[in-house]
Amino acid sequence: MNHASEFPELMRMLPIDWRRNVPIPAVTARHPDGEPDFSTVDGREAFRLASEGRCGICAQPFAEEVAFLGGPGAAAVGAYHDPPMHEGCAEASTRLCPHLARRDMRRLTDRRSTGELPAGNSPGKPDRWVMWICRGFSGAVVNAMPVFLPEPYTRLRIFTYTAEGQLHESFDTTPGG
């Protein structure tokens, strides 16, 4: 069981969904009753925070580097739908976000989710996640969805699933597998 003190320092200021026992990222969409919809990113909030130089997870300002987390396809084209974040927030997401942390967890699990994914996304899950760490980015809105374009990476970190289905950092640094 996670306790707020076990979350990275920047995430400790976030509200906690005590039912799931996880922090609620700043860009998590909300249902009309205020309950978080973990399956949906609030695109407007993601773009606003990014344009202010703030992390999509904790909403705190960036220092020198930003991280993007996505599948090999996002890394191959250098474009991400999920917003920029601190490297520590991205790393914590690989442990705290059930969709990322467990191979068998489907993305669209929210009981009230519309079931719609951004254009170009699939309900399937990649076999690895690529953390693209760089010094800056630009952004655009394409088909009403924010798209973030990171500068060339300074480092890549690769996360793959174990035989038991748990995500862990890999020593293989090949983005596409």
Side-chain angles (χ1 to χ4, degrees):
M1 176 178 281
N2 295 316
H3 298 288
S5 63
E6 296 173 0
F7 302 144
E9 186 174 341
L10 290 170
M11 292 176 124
R12 290 182 195 152
M13 296 179 285
L14 293 173
I16 304 295
D17 179 343
W18 293 110
R19 189 167 57 101
R20 293 175 182 91
N21 201 29
V22 294
I24 304 169
V27 298
T28 299
R30 299 284 184 147
H31 293 291
D33 65 2
E35 184 179 340
D37 178 354
F38 287 101
S39 68
T40 307
V41 170
D42 179 335
R44 286 185 195 156
E45 184 67 0
F47 202 75
R48 182 186 73 78
L49 288 170
S51 68
E52 293 175 2
R54 296 178 178 276
C55 176
I57 301 294
C58 71
Q60 297 301 308
F62 293 117
E64 293 183 18
E65 292 184 319
V66 297
F68 291 87
L69 191 59
V77 298
Y80 290 79
H81 284 293
D82 285 330
M85 51 195 111
H86 293 105
E87 183 176 355
C89 290
E91 182 177 343
S93 295
T94 69
R95 294 186 314 276
L96 298 171
C97 172
H99 173 68
L100 293 173
R102 297 192 313 260
R103 179 178 43 221
D104 64 348
M105 183 63 72
R106 290 184 42 85
R107 180 178 194 157
L108 299 175
T109 58
D110 190 285
R111 61 185 163 82
R112 296 181 288 175
S113 175
T114 63
E116 296 177 23
L117 290 171
N121 284 6
S122 75
K125 185 183 289 196
D127 66 345
R128 62 186 49 225
W129 297 92
V130 179
M131 187 185 302
W132 178 299
I133 302 155
C134 60
R135 298 204 181 276
F137 62 93
S138 60
V141 176
V142 178
N143 296 328
M145 291 295 302
V147 176
F148 301 100
L149 307 167
E151 290 181 357
Y153 62 82
T154 56
R155 293 177 289 125
L156 290 179
R157 294 176 64 186
I158 310 298
F159 297 81
T160 58
Y161 292 100
T162 64
E164 297 78 28
Q166 297 296 310
L167 194 64
H168 73 103
E169 189 161 6
S170 172
F171 291 107
D172 173 6
T173 58
T174 308

